Amino acid sequence: MKNKKLGNTNFNISPIGLGGMPLSLNGRPTESQAIAVIHRALDLGVTLIDTADSYCQDQSDKHHNEELIAKALQQYTGDIRSVTVATKGGLMRPQGAWTRNGNPHHLRKTIRESFEALGGQKPIDLWQYHAPDPSYTIEEALAPAKEAVAEGIVRFVGVSNFSVEQIKRARDTVEIASVQNQYNPWHREPESDGVLEYCETEKLTFFPWSPLGGSRRVTSLQDMPAIAKLAAEKNVSVYCIVLAWLMAKSPCIVPIPAATKLSSIEDSVKAIDVKLTDEEVQRISAS
């Protein structure tokens, strides 16, 4: 598959990634199954894996997903030199809940823990501030990331769940390569709040989290006529159509669908070859 640049960097990533979150939450697959999914993604040419320190069951399980990915990469018999692992920090999992923590001391500590969890042998390819914490300024929260870049344990920095104004403030603090906000046919805020347009104009990579809607999906994909009809016409799954729609919306978009089964990541990768016309994109957008 044809690679894309990560933001304004010279770093290459695949046009679609693998989201690691469900491999570590409650109901997660066995370790061997999870590693098989990661290996299958790599076999198919996926070179971007998205994770976070908080992808775990609770605080006692912190860094589970990062450690799982590191183990999978260590066991992979193919070439992993081109693999990019993007992680995040700034959320915590007390009793399995999700809470924000932008305390610079916490972020400084968790960046180093993520570095070790991912193997401790090379810099974290992309570290992302998971969500702004109103208790701390963006400048305060991103100072540890800037330090980590200077120290050589983080290569690039991204932000997640940020507004345009917050992205601008972040860029005044440290160079930003990517933005990761929720975006799918049911959640279109990046279109109306200007984040998607800003990323495209400024050549920042936009990672749409929950690209297939997840638990927030308002209806079954099969119940959306425009998507179901296109899937039948092109002989692909409805999931492929949604991923293709995302990639057609902007050249800066790189979807990161999650997978817990081999068949899921195999299906997601097929979306790269699904080409939608402008009229087809509009049909989905209007549905």
Side-chain angles (χ1 to χ4, degrees):
M1 61 182 71
K2 186 177 180 181
N3 287 331
K4 304 183 76 167
K5 294 294 183 184
L6 173 64
N8 286 301
T9 76
N10 289 320
F11 215 62
N12 289 321
I13 56 175
S14 52
I16 196 167
L18 170 66
M21 184 171 70
L23 298 176
S24 293
L25 301 188
N26 290 330
R28 63 197 183 198
T30 64
E31 183 177 278
S32 61
Q33 290 173 318
I35 289 175
V37 169
I38 295 169
H39 285 179
R40 185 59 180 143
L42 298 174
D43 289 342
L44 292 168
V46 173
T47 61
L48 172 68
I49 305 175
D50 182 73
T51 182
D53 63 359
S54 57
Y55 289 173
C56 56
Q57 294 178 333
D58 55 42
Q59 280 304 107
S60 67
D61 194 42
K62 190 181 177 188
H63 300 290
H64 178 275
N65 199 245
E66 294 171 324
E67 292 170 349
L68 173 70
I69 290 167
K71 188 171 185 178
L73 293 176
Q74 184 181 39
Q75 294 180 0
Y76 189 62
T77 56
D79 188 353
I80 61 170
R81 287 176 297 177
S82 62
V83 175
T84 296
V85 177
T87 193
K88 296 178 284 293
L91 292 186
M92 299 185 72
R93 301 299 312 281
Q95 290 77 55
W98 297 88
T99 61
R100 301 186 183 201
N101 188 347
N103 185 310
H105 298 294
H106 163 72
L107 294 176
R108 190 171 290 111
K109 179 173 181 288
T110 202
I111 287 173
R112 281 149 185 78
E113 289 173 348
S114 290
F115 172 72
E116 294 297 332
L118 289 168
Q121 299 299 309
K122 69 182 189 73
I124 295 171
D125 297 316
L126 176 66
W127 184 87
Q128 304 155 96
Y129 182 28
H130 211 149
D133 181 348
S135 299
Y136 302 92
T137 67
I138 289 169
E139 292 78 10
E140 289 173 327
L142 284 175
K146 183 176 182 178
E147 295 167 8
V149 171
E151 292 171 23
I153 65 171
V154 167
R155 184 173 279 115
F156 303 113
V157 177
V159 293
S160 183
N161 301 300
F162 267 48
S163 67
V164 170
E165 183 57 37
Q166 290 169 328
I167 298 168
K168 290 178 179 178
R169 287 177 59 185
R171 296 180 76 193
D172 286 339
T173 303
V174 63
E175 185 175 353
I176 297 298
S178 65
V179 176
Q180 185 171 158
N181 287 7
Q182 185 180 13
Y183 184 46
N184 54 53
W186 308 270
H187 186 98
R188 308 273 282 280
E189 189 173 336
E191 296 176 12
S192 59
D193 66 11
V195 169
L196 187 56
E197 181 181 5
Y198 180 81
C199 288
E200 186 172 329
T201 300
E202 297 297 315
K203 293 182 170 54
L204 304 178
T205 296
F206 182 90
F207 298 120
W209 65 262
S210 194
L212 297 173
S215 61
R216 297 169 178 82
R217 190 187 306 156
V218 297
T219 185
S220 168
L221 284 171
Q222 294 289 358
D223 293 333
M224 297 184 70
I227 293 174
K229 188 171 186 295
L230 282 170
E233 290 173 358
K234 297 179 184 294
N235 195 30
V236 296
S237 73
V238 288
Y239 308 104
C240 275
I241 294 297
V242 173
L243 294 174
W245 175 82
L246 284 166
M247 289 185 280
K249 292 292 286 186
S250 172
C252 73
I253 290 179
V254 175
I256 44 173
T260 58
K261 300 176 181 178
L262 299 181
S263 58
S264 296
I265 186 59
E266 289 169 350
D267 185 65
S268 292
V269 169
K270 291 177 183 176
I272 296 170
D273 296 322
V274 177
K275 305 304 178 186
L276 300 179
T277 65
D278 290 344
E279 187 272 335
E280 290 170 336
V281 170
Q282 286 304 314
R283 280 162 55 187
I284 296 172
S285 298
S287 62

